Amino acid sequence: MSFSTLSPTFVEEMTQEHERRGQILISCPVFGRPDRADAATLTIVTAGDREVLALMEDLFQALGSDLFHVGDRPSKANWVKILGNFTLGGLLETLSESLSLGERAGINPETLVEILDTALYHSPVFRGYGNLMATEKWDPAGFRMKLGLKDIRLVLKESDALEVSLPLADLIHSGFISGIHRGYGELDWSALKKVRADDSGREENSIS
Amino acid sequence: MSFSTLSPTFVEEMTQEHERRGQILISCPVFGRPDRADAATLTIVTAGDREVLALMEDLFQALGSDLFHVGDRPSKANWVKILGNFTLGGLLETLSESLSLGERAGINPETLVEILDTALYHSPVFRGYGNLMATEKWDPAGFRMKLGLKDIRLVLKESDALEVSLPLADLIHSGFISGIHRGYGELDWSALKKVRADDSGREENSIS
């Protein structure tokens, strides 16, 4: 059983190696931090042999409240996990740029997040990351920028193999690389906003 | 009173012209489509003279359920509106790329949207645009790509004046321009996914 965020290609290789040895690999990456595991509210994405998965039911119920089976090849679950983390990277980039511009336009960032969440998103993730950026509380990190870089690298490696063009993923990758060189690698990955705000100046030309 | 999505710079000019003539400009752009106006559930963002705004209370209550006042300069409300539409552009780009890659990896797009919304977003906007892209129902448009281009141009023009760097906004702008040249200008702006999926091929290298 593998709960890790791994490259789908690597999981496919592991699956074939398990098959050669007469073993069965189950992939079950999770969405959620340790507090959600304690509360048994993780989202668990599974892929692999259904009969073997049925034997794990008690374990999954002890950890998660939502269970999705996405196919017989274990790597499929890892695809869903890396795609999910990529979408979070997209949210971070979006918030980083819009809050940086908003601040320069004299819009309070917490107010902006509240209005947009009320008007459009109704999403705890939007509001949570938005407020994290507005208050710049990146230390201690919920998820470190260095791990964000690892995840976006997985996405780029897989998309390159499939010849899929992902301009946003390229841009997030560059953003994390820049952030790490500025010393933000151990901060929360939402410190991407610091990269974007730094690059745009903080004071000059501001509208009050 | 102006309900339109306008450039903050233009609204600032209009405000000064009103002041010269002894008139008062109120800016009150809204979030929401006509169906939300009928149901009186628009989000209305106001800026301008508070005493004049107080006189409009009945009108606002007939149209909206959430009212935010963001400052005395009318242009501030227009800032919030164009920043909000820019974040939607970011969501569209994120979904366009992640669903395009997911399809090539053999992940059903509707399933992917359902899992990620359950695991992470809990957001009707995420699910709504995700399913629109998954089912490719871009005609009739809820909001046309040509209007999306107009809005991202407003963001780029203002950010250029303030010397704020917005790599994601540049990328969305290019995506809409490409889409319009491919004949998608009258489709819903979430047809940005068609641009990204086209550029990555639909069939070759796919994982089944």
Side-chain angles (χ1 to χ4, degrees):
Chain A
M1 291 186 72
S2 164
F3 285 90
S4 306
T5 303
L6 297 170
S7 142
T9 299
F10 176 67
V11 172
E12 186 56 39
E13 288 166 11
M14 294 247 292
T15 304
Q16 290 173 15
E17 186 61 30
H18 274 69
E19 286 169 348
R20 262 193 294 277
R21 297 172 184 224
Q23 298 169 345
I24 291 172
L25 179 71
I26 296 296
S27 186
C28 41
V30 302
F31 287 97
R33 306 257 167 92
D35 58 321
R36 281 177 59 191
D38 289 343
T41 60
L42 292 173
T43 297
I44 306 174
V45 183
T46 65
D49 187 288
R50 277 177 186 271
E51 284 180 32
V52 176
L53 277 164
L55 302 173
M56 312 291 171
E57 204 163 295
D58 289 350
L59 172 63
F60 291 140
Q61 281 188 1
L63 291 171
S65 53
D66 297 291
L67 186 67
F68 292 96
H69 181 72
V70 293
D72 295 333
R73 295 307 292 176
S75 59
K76 287 280 199 278
N78 298 86
W79 268 110
V80 171
K81 175 67 183 177
I82 70 169
L83 287 165
N85 284 9
F86 170 44
T87 65
L88 288 178
L91 175 64
L92 297 181
E93 183 67 41
T94 301
L95 278 164
S96 294
E97 296 190 18
S98 50
L99 294 185
S100 295
L101 178 56
E103 282 175 11
R104 288 286 289 281
I107 308 293
N108 175 281
E110 284 175 273
T111 305
L112 181 62
V113 168
E114 187 192 350
I115 297 175
L116 298 186
D117 194 50
T118 304
L120 299 169
Y121 293 97
H122 309 283
S123 171
V125 176
F126 180 89
R127 197 176 274 241
Y129 275 120
N131 284 333
L132 208 53
M133 290 183 187
T135 55
E136 309 204 342
K137 286 184 185 139
W138 294 308
D139 188 18
F143 187 73
R144 289 181 298 131
M145 190 181 284
K146 280 187 177 167
L147 289 175
L149 177 63
K150 185 202 108 185
D151 281 5
I152 201 80
R153 278 183 176 145
L154 291 181
V155 169
L156 288 174
K157 194 181 144 203
E158 299 291 332
S159 65
D160 186 58
L162 291 173
E163 292 175 6
V164 170
S165 158
L166 298 182
L168 174 60
D170 289 329
L171 196 158
I172 296 166
H173 176 254
S174 302
F176 288 155
I177 293 270
S178 298
I180 285 166
H181 286 297
R182 293 173 204 195
Y184 312 156
E186 301 297 325
L187 300 183
D188 192 80
W189 63 336
S190 55
L192 182 60
K193 189 220 162 188
K194 204 161 154 61
V195 176
R196 300 307 178 209
D198 289 352
D199 283 347
S200 299
R202 293 253 176 183
E203 301 298 335
E204 67 265 38
N205 297 325
S206 291
I207 298 170
S208 61
Chain B
M1 292 188 70
S2 164
F3 286 91
S4 306
T5 302
L6 297 171
S7 143
T9 298
F10 176 67
V11 172
E12 187 54 39
E13 289 165 12
M14 294 245 294
T15 303
Q16 290 173 17
E17 186 61 29
H18 275 69
E19 284 168 351
R20 262 194 294 276
R21 296 172 186 225
Q23 297 170 345
I24 292 174
L25 178 70
I26 296 294
S27 186
C28 42
V30 302
F31 288 97
R33 306 256 168 91
D35 57 323
R36 280 177 61 191
D38 290 342
T41 61
L42 292 174
T43 296
I44 306 174
V45 183
T46 65
D49 188 286
R50 277 177 186 273
E51 285 181 32
V52 177
L53 276 164
L55 302 174
M56 312 291 172
E57 206 164 294
D58 289 352
L59 172 62
F60 292 141
Q61 281 188 0
L63 290 171
S65 53
D66 297 291
L67 186 67
F68 293 95
H69 180 73
V70 293
D72 294 333
R73 295 309 290 175
S75 59
K76 287 281 199 279
N78 299 86
W79 267 111
V80 171
K81 175 66 183 178
I82 69 168
L83 287 166
N85 283 8
F86 169 43
T87 66
L88 288 178
L91 175 64
L92 297 181
E93 182 68 42
T94 301
L95 278 164
S96 294
E97 296 190 19
S98 50
L99 294 185
S100 295
L101 178 57
E103 283 176 10
R104 288 285 289 282
I107 309 293
N108 176 282
E110 283 174 275
T111 304
L112 182 62
V113 168
E114 186 193 352
I115 296 175
L116 298 186
D117 193 51
T118 304
L120 299 169
Y121 293 96
H122 309 284
S123 171
V125 176
F126 181 89
R127 198 176 275 241
Y129 275 120
N131 285 332
L132 208 53
M133 290 184 187
T135 55
E136 308 202 343
K137 285 184 185 143
W138 294 308
D139 189 17
F143 187 74
R144 288 180 301 129
M145 190 180 284
K146 279 186 176 168
L147 289 175
L149 177 63
K150 184 202 110 187
D151 281 4
I152 200 80
R153 277 183 176 146
L154 290 182
V155 170
L156 288 174
K157 193 181 147 206
E158 299 291 332
S159 65
D160 187 58
L162 291 172
E163 293 175 7
V164 170
S165 157
L166 298 181
L168 174 60
D170 290 329
L171 196 157
I172 296 166
H173 176 254
S174 301
F176 288 155
I177 294 271
S178 297
I180 285 165
H181 286 297
R182 294 173 204 195
Y184 311 156
E186 300 297 325
L187 300 182
D188 190 79
W189 63 336
S190 56
L192 182 59
K193 189 220 163 189
K194 204 161 153 63
V195 176
R196 300 308 178 208
D198 288 353
D199 283 346
S200 299
R202 293 257 177 180
E203 300 297 335
E204 67 265 38
N205 298 325
S206 291
I207 298 169
S208 61

